[in-house]
Amino acid sequence: MEERYNPGAVEAKWQKTWADTRAFAVTEDGSKKKYYLLEMFPYPSGRIHMGHVRNYSIGDVVARFKTLQGYNVLHPMGWDAFGMPAENAAIQHGTHPAKWTYENIDNMRSQLKRMGFSYDWDREFATCDVDYYKWEQLVFLKMLERGLAYKKSSSVNWCGKCQTVLANEQVDDGGCWRCDSEVEQKELEQWFFKITDYAEELLTWTERLPGWPERVLTMQQHWIGRSTGCEIGFPLEGGKETVRVFTTRADTLYGATFMSLAPEHPLVERLVTPGQREAVEGFLSRVRKQDKEQRTSDELEKEGVFTGSYCINPVTGQKIPVYLANFVLLDYGTGAVMAVPTHDQRDFEFARKYGLEMRVVIQPDGEPLDPRTMERAFEGSGILVNSGPFDGLANEEAKEAIATQLEEKGLGTKSVKYRLRDWGVSRQRYWGTPIPVIYCDSCGAVPVPEKDLPVILPHDVAFTGEGGSPLAKLESFLKVDCPRCGSPARRETDTFDTFVESSWYFARYTCPDYTGGPIDREAARYWLPVDQYIGGIEHAVMHLLYARFFTKVLRDLGMLDLDEPFANLLTQGMVCMETRSCPTHGWLYPEEAADGKCAKCGEAAVLGRNEKMSKSKKNVVDPDALIASYGADTARLFSLFAAPPEKDLEWNEQGVEGCYRFLHRVWRGVQDNLELIRGAEIPAVAEGPARELRRATHRTIRKVTEDIDGRFHFNTAIASVMELVNAIYAFEGKPEHPGVLREALEAVVRLLAPFVPHICHELWEGLGHAEPLAAAGWPAWDAEALVVDEVLLVVQVNGKVRGKVTVPAGADEEALRQAALAEPNVARTLEGQTVRKVIVIPGRLVNVVVG
RNA sequence: GCGAGAGUGGCGGAACUGGCAGACGCACUGGACUUAGGAUCCAGCGGGCAACCGUGGGGGUUCGACUCCCCCCUCUCGCACCA
């Protein structure tokens, strides 16, 4: 063991040992309790960033802790490798997406290895490996058989100049990010997964996931958005057809004075009268120019147009006009809304704008409502009026009564609707899993037969960023014989949304080399569910909901015996950092403004807020530089110590110094006492300072154990070890109890091992242990050493601290009361006052109430 | 706009079920050691002379509120084709 702490040498030594011995490779072992720890796998963007360092440091603490506790821990790592950035790199720099991706993976793998994370690298895979995505194609075919995958028309962002589909992210302020021309909405036939079939199960299971943060479950519940209501048919005037609407407010039916349809509603074409055609066309072309972001956010001006047609309110018999409205969505409910302007704010604004009739049907207590003077819709509860036989009913009761009568008369049905929409998985892009379907002029869409899988993503294509997917231009890929009739046909050129790959990778880690199907049920039965899943809060809804959905699909396809994939979830906060900018040169990297001035012009740099690290804002910290100057252990320690995992982490370089200093301090503490403590025995009984140190040692063991296990309060766990180290330094110079000192130092090394594994393994070896630290297991605390004789009692008068008094540990309430009242400062405060009440909380405080 | 969170010294944070607000670390100040110190060790460190005042702002519940309730402000995340 070297005299001075040299992280570079220590870390290289242990990383080599771990790699050579495949220290973290695991297999199914029925004799041990399993623990599956998973962090969300990274997208191979090129280099790891501080968000990765933090995420994977958090996971590694838990993995190493559980391993030390004796669990058989599966801790895998891989790559979420399909996606847009690879294709963009190809368009901009001519690098093939595969080359770009695999090179990035090589890079990032070595960076992760340099961090000393305890991964079973034998299980590594990338989702762009054929051996991964071919199984996804198989799952798709099974879903197709079951009707869980289907095709329908849906709109996409379309740049007419580039002749290509744009992601929402590629639309800047309504314009194409590459050519800035106006983006339009275009209807395309696309593949969907029927996640709505699972809406009810996904919702009810949110009640059975106690290991998930409440806020994530709440967000998912709202996303699924179950609402009970009723579907009502409004007959078209002079026709046989009815327009079906869904409403949760059947109680307001008598106040429905017009109807709003989604612009994409299938009846639109038939409803438009010749006189209104021009107005409707104009409206539709404006709506098409609003991208999805705008349509779904409510920032845009409520706008609509009259179709020229009318339908009949089924209970009043009144003829009501049918409008198209930009805020009505085809995907939700029936795509048609009965409009009640007096009791719905959106309908109110719409009616005022177009001068439509308003009728009050619910009266609140007090001021009667008058449609002529109302300033906004009344959405509260009240008593029904103008509602025929239902007048006088409370509106909540009327919901049920009206719905029941509609059912009896065959005019409507009670029903449940969800806000959740089916999952569109088609992407008009190259770098993704090819969708295994063939189109034949006579047979239609034909699934690729299982024996013909995989449909391999071809390598040699041209990337221009224009004219749609490169696959569509590759004859050798496109041209194929129809598997059903043998006549010339063409392949599907769309690829899957990359969320599909990340919806089942956790299951593939249990059997990455399995060739009999997507998942080896035996391996999956042993390892799944994931005991602890860790990742960014930004995935609270979409990724986590899709993964839950996919698990249930795989279960129903007989591929997996599991209802929910993740038993416990930890969502970590963002890593942020201050931004700096120069009035003339814009954003500056930290090193370009080291002295508070712009390195280019000397102008004072403007210090911005803490923001999520991003290349565009130039507020990034390169983990490599950090590791080079301080080592991986310091980088890990800081990212864990600076904030609790679920909080956003604000980066500041000075805190890193403190962690580095602490590790030096630990090293010296061991090094300076090596001679003294060699072979020293831990005494059964100790007195005075030695007893205090033993108590501190065991208190720290308990604290760290409880902080890691389930609570994930790593920052306080580390703080408590720092306190123990301070106690050890204070104890030095009292060499009469070397055994107590040895016990304390060894506790520090063992407790820190999950956080800073390299230095701890080295120190453990230096302490003369033949067995590696991993074999020593996790330390237990000795309840006997924790016993205290005296406790400090806080004495308050009217809730304000007036004194403190030391009392025997087991003193009864009366003794505490006496001791409190006798405390000199308390007694002085109480002079001349009447004591009304004395509240005694044993072991904590006494509050004397006077007045 | 809708949904979900967060806000505590100069800074990051602690206070677990309502019970000493500010643990631990950074920064800063002083001291020791030293040829030297940007190393190390020790000590101090919310504001105020004090009574007291202090957990984003305002109200409430309670013997007692950072913690519970109501209103408001600010910031962060998500909003279905970024992953």
Side-chain angles (χ1 to χ4, degrees):
Chain A
M1 188 178 150
E2 288 184 44
E3 181 134 351
R4 274 183 61 84
Y5 172 46
N6 176 359
V10 169
E11 289 171 7
K13 170 183 164 183
W14 288 98
Q15 282 164 18
K16 184 171 187 313
T17 303
W18 294 332
D20 290 350
T21 59
R22 294 170 63 242
F24 311 108
V26 288
T27 50
E28 291 90 272
D29 175 354
S31 71
K32 277 169 133 185
K33 275 192 287 179
K34 69 93 182 178
Y35 192 88
Y36 183 177
L37 183 118
L38 182 66
E39 302 115 28
M40 290 178 188
F41 64 168
Y43 177 78
S45 55
R47 312 193 58 73
I48 64 167
H49 54 66
M50 289 316 299
H52 294 126
V53 168
R54 189 180 188 206
N55 190 193
Y56 303 139
S57 294
I58 290 166
D60 207 44
V61 172
V62 181
R64 287 178 179 270
F65 173 73
K66 285 289 169 186
T67 304
L68 286 167
Q69 280 194 326
Y71 287 86
N72 191 26
V73 175
L74 173 57
H75 188 204
M77 178 47 69
W79 312 95
D80 187 14
F82 277 135
M84 272 198 326
E87 208 161 330
N88 291 339
I91 295 163
Q92 282 158 15
H93 310 296
T95 331
H96 193 278
K99 181 172 151 55
W100 185 87
T101 302
Y102 283 107
E103 281 178 4
N104 285 348
I105 288 174
D106 287 343
N107 228 318
M108 292 173 73
R109 186 192 302 107
S110 63
Q111 287 186 297
L112 290 181
K113 288 192 170 173
R114 182 64 192 83
M115 286 298 295
F117 296 131
S118 62
Y119 297 125
D120 178 355
W121 284 106
D122 294 353
R123 291 171 186 263
E124 176 193 0
F125 61 78
T127 56
C128 61
D129 297 341
V130 183
D131 284 339
Y132 183 78
Y133 72 70
K134 71 178 179 189
W135 297 117
E136 196 166 294
Q137 293 176 333
L138 179 68
V139 172
F140 172 80
L141 295 180
K142 301 287 185 196
M143 289 175 76
L144 208 52
E145 275 173 29
R146 294 251 180 159
L148 288 170
Y150 68 97
K151 230 180 169 189
K152 71 170 178 184
S153 175
S154 170
S155 65
V156 291
N157 300 313
W158 177 256
C159 174
K161 188 162 172 228
C162 302
Q163 287 288 297
T164 197
V165 175
L166 299 175
N168 287 344
E169 200 191 49
Q170 297 172 313
V171 181
D172 295 334
D173 206 20
C176 170
W177 69 335
R178 293 183 68 228
C179 70
D180 209 39
S181 51
E182 202 171 2
V183 173
E184 292 208 11
Q185 294 303 296
K186 187 176 163 178
E187 292 288 314
L188 282 181
E189 284 285 311
Q190 309 203 63
W191 290 100
F192 281 80
F193 286 167
K194 253 194 155 183
I195 191 171
T196 51
D197 272 9
Y198 288 82
E200 194 61 39
E201 193 191 340
L202 288 166
L203 184 66
T204 53
W205 272 90
T206 58
E207 306 288 343
R208 296 184 231 167
L209 292 170
W212 281 45
E214 198 54 50
R215 68 155 154 162
V216 173
L217 295 173
T218 312
M219 279 192 263
Q220 293 209 351
Q221 285 158 2
H222 287 257
W223 185 265
I224 295 167
R226 183 185 203 270
S227 57
T228 54
C230 147
E231 245 183 77
I232 305 171
F234 281 61
L236 277 176
E237 187 201 29
K240 285 179 193 142
E241 276 175 302
T242 55
V243 183
R244 297 192 73 79
V245 303
F246 172 77
T247 181
T248 58
R249 295 296 308 271
D251 54 324
T252 64
L253 179 55
Y254 284 77
T257 51
F258 63 100
M259 179 175 290
S260 307
L261 298 190
E264 305 86 357
H265 197 284
L267 281 175
V268 169
E269 199 45 40
R270 263 170 290 169
L271 291 174
V272 180
T273 58
Q276 287 300 102
R277 180 151 303 273
E278 202 176 318
V280 169
E281 294 294 338
F283 170 74
L284 291 176
S285 77
R286 278 198 301 283
V287 171
R288 268 196 285 274
K289 281 177 184 157
Q290 289 163 350
D291 62 63
K292 281 191 179 170
E293 203 86 344
Q294 287 174 305
R295 272 293 293 284
T296 50
S297 83
D298 283 349
E299 264 160 49
L300 93 159
E301 170 84 17
K302 308 272 173 292
E303 197 195 353
V305 66
F306 181 41
T307 58
S309 295
Y310 293 85
C311 60
I312 309 296
N313 182 322
V315 289
T316 62
Q318 187 193 6
K319 191 174 115 175
I320 63 174
V322 179
Y323 273 72
L324 305 183
N326 59 352
F327 59 85
V328 180
L329 302 172
L330 185 63
D331 300 311
Y332 183 69
T334 59
V337 181
M338 68 174 209
V340 186
T342 45
H343 304 293
D344 180 281
Q345 186 59 26
R346 269 192 315 200
D347 295 343
F348 182 89
E349 288 167 28
F350 197 85
R352 276 284 144 88
K353 182 164 177 173
Y354 295 103
L356 295 160
E357 189 194 338
M358 295 190 180
R359 182 190 304 161
V360 171
V361 290
I362 295 173
Q363 279 292 359
D365 275 349
E367 284 289 290
L369 296 174
D370 182 341
R372 284 165 300 189
T373 56
M374 283 171 81
E375 282 172 14
R376 52 178 301 117
F378 172 71
E379 293 177 326
S381 41
I383 303 296
L384 261 65
V385 295
N386 299 323
S387 297
F390 302 99
D391 281 357
L393 267 170
N395 75 300
E396 286 304 321
E397 292 166 39
K399 276 184 188 173
E400 182 61 27
I402 292 179
T404 304
Q405 201 194 69
L406 287 171
E407 277 197 328
E408 280 165 8
K409 293 190 173 174
L411 298 170
T413 46
K414 291 176 195 168
S415 79
V416 175
K417 290 274 186 267
Y418 300 91
R419 205 183 70 99
L420 182 69
R421 307 201 298 262
D422 277 338
W423 174 13
V425 292
S426 292
R427 297 293 181 270
Q428 294 69 39
R429 276 188 266 278
Y430 165 78
W431 192 233
T433 301
I435 298 177
V437 168
I438 290 165
Y439 296 103
C440 167
D441 286 337
S442 31
C443 307
V446 181
V448 172
E450 278 179 37
K451 66 173 173 55
D452 294 344
L453 290 185
V455 176
I456 295 173
L457 186 65
H459 189 273
D460 295 316
V461 297
F463 301 97
T464 59
E466 291 172 4
S469 169
L471 290 177
K473 287 171 271 181
L474 191 66
E475 290 268 300
S476 58
F477 176 80
L478 195 64
K479 282 195 173 169
V480 65
D481 290 341
C482 171
R484 203 163 284 168
C485 70
S487 52
R490 58 199 189 284
R491 279 191 196 280
E492 170 68 84
T493 57
D494 284 359
T495 53
F496 282 132
D497 177 5
T498 59
F499 270 124
V500 180
E501 284 87 62
S502 58
S503 290
W504 69 284
Y505 74 109
F506 56 89
R508 187 67 186 174
Y509 277 141
T510 67
C511 51
D513 303 317
Y514 185 60
T515 53
I519 299 154
D520 175 356
R521 285 175 80 166
E522 282 308 307
R525 206 172 287 137
Y526 178 80
W527 289 114
L528 291 172
V530 172
D531 293 278
Q532 183 67 55
Y533 195 35
I534 305 173
I537 183 65
E538 68 273 22
H539 297 290
V541 177
M542 300 188 60
H543 161 61
L544 287 165
L545 194 66
Y546 291 148
R548 293 182 59 215
F549 160 66
F550 225 76
T551 300
K552 292 169 194 298
V553 169
L554 291 170
R555 176 199 63 194
D556 293 346
L557 294 175
M559 294 173 169
L560 203 56
D561 310 285
L562 190 71
D563 291 310
E564 287 286 339
F566 313 121
N568 296 286
L569 173 69
L570 173 65
T571 48
Q572 61 156 3
M574 303 278 151
V575 179
C576 338
M577 193 186 175
E578 278 169 343
T579 56
R580 274 159 229 274
S581 58
C582 164
T584 24
H585 296 96
W587 301 109
L588 300 172
Y589 283 111
E591 60 272 19
E592 292 175 325
D595 52 356
K597 287 176 191 154
C598 174
K600 290 169 191 161
C601 63
E603 193 102 21
V606 182
L607 205 60
R609 288 184 330 191
N610 273 302
E611 292 198 61
K612 188 176 164 179
M613 288 190 186
S614 73
K615 271 186 197 164
S616 67
K617 301 234 164 107
K618 296 192 174 181
N619 61 339
V620 284
V621 176
D622 183 7
D624 275 356
L626 194 71
I627 296 167
S629 21
Y630 300 100
D633 279 337
T634 296
R636 296 167 59 122
L637 189 66
F638 177 70
S639 70
L640 295 163
F641 178 61
E646 66 276 9
K647 275 205 154 182
D648 287 350
L649 170 69
E650 293 184 26
W651 188 262
N652 84 345
E653 196 76 18
Q654 281 152 343
V656 180
E657 288 279 353
C659 289
Y660 188 58
R661 215 176 306 174
F662 171 67
L663 292 181
H664 273 282
R665 201 165 144 84
V666 170
W667 184 279
R668 265 200 323 277
V670 172
Q671 180 67 34
D672 292 354
N673 292 294
L674 267 184
E675 289 304 315
L676 178 64
I677 64 176
R678 179 162 298 149
E681 294 289 326
I682 298 160
V685 188
E687 288 304 325
R691 188 176 169 195
E692 293 295 325
L693 184 60
R694 279 214 78 202
R695 189 178 295 135
T697 299
H698 288 273
R699 205 171 42 218
T700 308
I701 294 171
R702 183 175 66 180
K703 169 87 175 147
V704 173
T705 308
E706 291 174 351
D707 275 356
I708 298 177
D709 214 359
R711 253 163 59 88
F712 308 116
H713 285 205
F714 307 125
N715 55 334
T716 53
I718 293 164
S720 70
V721 179
M722 286 174 170
E723 284 183 78
L724 180 58
V725 171
N726 290 344
I728 290 170
Y729 270 74
F731 188 77
E732 283 186 40
K734 303 185 189 71
E736 58 273 23
H737 294 293
V740 175
L741 191 58
R742 192 184 116 193
E743 185 187 33
L745 284 165
E746 291 196 345
V748 167
V749 171
R750 294 170 75 186
L751 294 175
L752 285 177
F755 304 91
V756 283
H758 311 89
I759 185 176
C760 290
H761 277 76
E762 183 68 12
L763 289 173
W764 185 256
E765 197 180 75
L767 280 161
H769 294 278
E771 273 202 317
L773 180 51
W778 187 250
W781 66 87
D782 176 359
E784 206 120 310
L786 292 172
V787 172
V788 289
D789 307 327
E790 294 180 320
V791 292
L792 190 67
L793 186 72
V794 173
V795 188
Q796 298 181 329
V797 177
N798 283 351
K800 287 186 174 145
V801 180
R802 292 298 177 203
K804 290 173 190 177
V805 54
T806 306
V807 295
D812 63 23
E813 284 201 25
E814 186 51 32
L816 294 178
R817 183 192 163 104
Q818 293 305 326
L821 294 171
E823 203 277 337
N825 198 45
V826 174
R828 205 174 317 127
T829 315
L830 293 178
E831 261 170 49
Q833 308 252 30
T834 316
V835 174
R836 292 185 181 274
K837 208 190 315 184
V838 179
I839 288 150
V840 181
I841 311 291
R844 282 183 186 265
L845 63 62
V846 172
N847 188 14
V848 184
V849 185
V850 297

